[in-house]
Amino acid sequence: MKFSPQKAVYEVTASEVLAPGIEIGIENGKISCLGTSLPRDDRTKIIDAKGARVTPGGVDSHVHFAQDNSPTGDDFTSGSRSAIAGGTTTVIAFASQLKTETSVIPCITEYHTRAKDKSYCDYSFHLILTNPTPAIMQTEMPLLIKQGITSVKLYMTYEPLKLGDSQLLAVLMAARALGFTTMVHAENSDIISLITDRLEAAGHSSPYFHAISRPQIAENEATYRIISLAELTDTPILIVHMSSEIAMRHVRKAQTRMLPIHAETCPQYLFLLSERLKGTEKDAFEGAKCVCSPPLRHDPKDLKAMWRGIANGTFTIFSSDHAPSTYDHAGGKKLGLKDGIMRYKNIPNGVPGVETRLPLLFSHAGREKDSKLSLQRFVQLTSSDPAKLYGLEGTKGNIAPGYDADLVIWYPETEVGEGVVIGQKMLHHGVDYTPYEGMKVKNWPRYTLLRGKVVWDRDGEGIVGDVTAGKFLKRGKGKIVIGKTGGEANGMLEGERDFWY
Ligand code: DUC
Ligand code: ZN
Ligand code: ZN
């Protein structure tokens, strides 16, 4: 197939906006060449982008599909269907170890079963490590890396998931030795439990108090702590779903010192505020739809700060953290409403967003006066940098020969008109709401291509991909995107670590 625009078309990569009119040649699912007047024969299929932007397929490196703790949300079929309709062609979901499990192999096997032949887009897994025994770190992690699972997520909060500092240190040291990537959920667990207990005793348990129970200081302290542990052990990390400026400043400062500290933020922290947790006159519990952790912050200034981190490079990744729970379901968000009493602490955490992630950010990318980031930053954050950090470089996240032909073709500016108003009815996920209901975006993916095949055709039949087309991606070891290892730690002598590391 040849993807050949007849009018001006602008492919955008992480480093440049290519000259108008460049054609993308595709053979056997891969980009074969870029050029003008590419040769074609009568079997060549041509898609005319009509002067629209073309960006690499989205790599959403933080989604929760088919997890036991969100049984009413999305499985791989509905989640990946939603992904391609929003321009995402690769997702990295989580396989979660139970604290009682002394091996991680059964959980990885189980998540393979949950995804195999059930995904419209390509996929991989991060391992959520909740019981990092020496045997797992020494024997099983090398096996997983060989199998292409090269990243873990660690939690500093939530009783069933959290690790103490000595466990965090042990995993970081193993990560440095074996070369897997470490993601960290950074919030101080004891601060949250203390406030939660006191709020409950005072009768403050409606969804709004979720935001009161997890102040920015909790994120700030844990962020500084995990950066310190990473610096001590000279280990690259990525702090997931960051929401507050005070915490983000630690990341920025570390990056200025060339430490390999990466950070991620998500749409909810750019667009939504804690007032959304208050519910409505019609439904006082409706705020449950926006319960996520870290929580939505209070002030528009908080959103502005996150936008700054997006534009200035503090954030390496913009993921959806698609964590779906059906609102109107006794096993979903309504777990927090029993006998008419609201208890935010029982509400499953998370908001859906895998389909809206790209259009929301793309709306603010460009060279217009009110743009908040460049088109190249858009591509870095949503596709090329997650691909690099998680070991998919060379395959995903770029428009270049040899890469998978995963592409998003947007509408040309002449056709976008008033834009698109987001609504639950138009989305393809398995949950019953979107927190972005009624929000207007400037553009939407017209076509999504997965390995050269159109899988989403917005003007035609919509989802035209195959539910068995998505394949498991055996990832390599991730690359450091920012900073480097091997530097000195604050206040340590050169080589001081060698006495004990
Ligand atoms: N962490 C996530 O990554 N997603 C949802 C909730 C949470 O705490
Ligand atoms: Zn988390
Ligand atoms: Zn998450």
Side-chain angles (χ1 to χ4, degrees):
M1 184 213 278
K2 216 144 262 148
F3 165 66
S4 173
Q6 281 149 18
K7 294 189 188 141
V9 64
Y10 303 87
E11 287 96 32
V12 184
T13 70
S15 54
E16 52 192 338
V17 178
L18 301 182
I22 300 282
E23 299 172 351
I24 303 172
I26 298 172
E27 273 175 71
N28 301 322
K30 298 239 177 230
I31 296 171
S32 54
C33 55
L34 304 179
T36 51
S37 309
L38 296 184
R40 56 199 77 192
D41 58 30
D42 49 8
R43 286 174 306 139
T44 306
K45 191 176 162 207
I46 295 174
I47 303 175
D48 185 353
K50 298 185 176 157
R53 303 278 186 209
V54 181
T55 53
V59 175
D60 195 341
S61 57
H62 187 154
V63 303
H64 302 267
F65 292 168
Q67 264 184 241
D68 293 338
N69 61 1
S70 54
T72 66
D74 282 305
D75 56 16
F76 273 84
T77 297
S78 60
S80 63
R81 182 179 68 205
S82 191
I84 58 171
T88 287
T89 45
T90 295
V91 293
I92 312 184
F94 293 88
S96 192
Q97 178 200 23
L98 291 174
K99 245 193 181 146
T100 47
E101 288 173 336
T102 50
S103 165
V104 295
I105 306 300
C107 104
I108 294 292
T109 309
E110 171 59 24
Y111 278 86
H112 271 296
T113 313
R114 291 180 190 187
K116 191 171 165 24
D117 296 331
K118 298 182 187 89
S119 182
Y120 286 94
C121 68
D122 288 349
Y123 62 91
S124 184
F125 308 112
H126 309 286
L127 170 68
I128 294 179
L129 257 178
T130 56
N131 183 19
T133 64
I136 290 173
M137 301 321 296
Q138 284 155 26
T139 317
E140 296 193 352
M141 281 313 300
L143 270 178
L144 289 198
I145 292 168
K146 269 197 201 134
Q147 293 170 12
I149 296 175
T150 55
S151 48
V152 300
K153 181 180 176 190
L154 313 177
Y155 283 82
M156 297 171 80
T157 187
Y158 298 125
E159 220 41 65
L161 305 171
K162 74 176 183 188
L163 305 185
D165 288 356
S166 59
Q167 291 172 305
L168 293 168
L169 282 166
V171 178
L172 290 174
M173 288 171 80
R176 179 75 166 97
L178 299 172
F180 60 84
T181 308
T182 307
M183 312 157 81
V184 184
H185 177 133
E187 284 185 292
N188 178 302
S189 186
D190 290 344
I191 291 178
I192 297 166
S193 337
L194 174 124
I195 302 177
T196 299
D197 290 348
R198 294 180 73 91
L199 283 172
E200 188 146 272
H204 298 311
S205 63
S206 68
Y208 178 70
F209 287 96
H210 172 76
I212 303 295
S213 72
R214 307 175 90 108
Q216 297 197 17
I217 291 167
E219 186 180 352
N220 183 55
E221 186 281 329
T223 299
Y224 182 67
R225 180 155 39 106
I226 197 64
I227 291 173
S228 302
L229 303 188
E231 180 175 4
L232 178 80
T233 55
D234 193 25
T235 312
I237 55 167
L238 171 108
I239 302 168
V240 291
H241 47 51
M242 292 200 73
S243 69
S244 61
E245 182 172 26
I246 47 172
M248 185 180 74
R249 276 202 218 119
H250 296 302
V251 173
R252 187 74 173 162
K253 216 167 149 193
Q255 290 169 347
T256 309
R257 295 177 48 226
M258 292 302 286
L259 298 180
I261 306 296
H262 305 88
E264 167 199 271
T265 194
C266 314
Q268 52 270 35
Y269 305 119
L270 297 184
F271 293 100
L272 308 176
L273 287 169
S274 64
E275 65 194 14
R276 292 289 301 273
L277 295 165
K278 286 184 178 157
T280 55
E281 232 171 77
K282 228 170 102 195
D283 179 2
F285 185 65
E286 203 174 336
K289 290 179 177 174
C290 289
V291 165
C292 57
S293 292
L296 302 182
R297 300 306 183 187
H298 304 309
D299 198 299
K301 276 195 243 145
D302 298 319
L303 305 180
K304 237 175 151 183
M306 295 300 101
W307 276 111
R308 219 175 305 121
I310 283 278
N312 71 14
T314 307
F315 293 118
T316 305
I317 289 180
F318 180 70
S319 77
S320 67
D321 192 3
H322 181 85
S325 284
T326 305
Y327 175 65
D328 199 10
H329 194 295
K333 294 281 185 183
K334 293 262 164 94
L335 279 168
L337 180 64
K338 218 167 182 196
D339 304 325
I341 298 172
M342 299 187 264
R343 281 219 173 83
Y344 73 79
K345 143 173 144 169
N346 298 336
I347 299 170
N349 262 277
V351 293
V354 69
E355 191 167 343
T356 42
R357 175 184 75 120
L358 293 185
L360 280 168
L361 195 65
F362 191 77
S363 273
H364 296 274
R367 292 197 193 114
E368 289 81 35
K369 243 194 176 157
D370 59 346
S371 297
K372 293 190 161 117
L373 70 161
S374 67
L375 284 159
Q376 293 93 324
R377 272 299 287 143
F378 168 83
V379 170
Q380 284 166 16
L381 284 156
T382 57
S383 186
S384 61
D385 280 356
K388 281 182 196 159
L389 191 74
Y390 294 119
L392 292 169
E393 196 179 27
T395 311
K396 301 290 186 187
N398 201 350
I399 304 179
Y403 278 77
D404 282 358
D406 295 349
L407 299 168
V408 180
I409 304 170
W410 300 82
Y411 284 90
E413 265 154 38
T414 47
E415 288 186 42
V416 288
E418 288 294 293
V420 175
V421 178
I422 297 174
Q424 164 64 11
K425 279 202 191 107
M426 62 187 264
L427 299 178
H428 299 78
H429 54 201
V431 294
D432 55 355
Y433 75 98
T434 166
Y436 307 104
E437 186 74 42
M439 216 177 259
K440 196 191 268 185
V441 289
K442 287 188 187 158
N443 208 324
W444 199 275
R446 180 181 225 162
Y447 301 107
T448 305
L449 277 74
L450 173 69
R451 284 179 272 110
K453 290 215 168 78
V454 175
V455 292
W456 165 248
D457 175 358
R458 189 165 179 267
D459 300 329
E461 288 170 48
I463 301 286
V464 290
D466 176 351
V467 68
T468 63
K471 65 174 192 200
F472 171 70
L473 299 169
K474 204 171 160 198
R475 292 182 284 129
K477 288 182 187 174
K479 289 232 171 88
I480 292 172
V481 176
I482 255 181
K484 58 185 177 56
T485 55
E488 293 311 310
N490 252 342
M492 274 190 185
L493 300 173
E494 201 179 325
E496 183 175 323
R497 279 194 199 93
D498 299 343
F499 287 115
W500 56 271
Y501 205 165

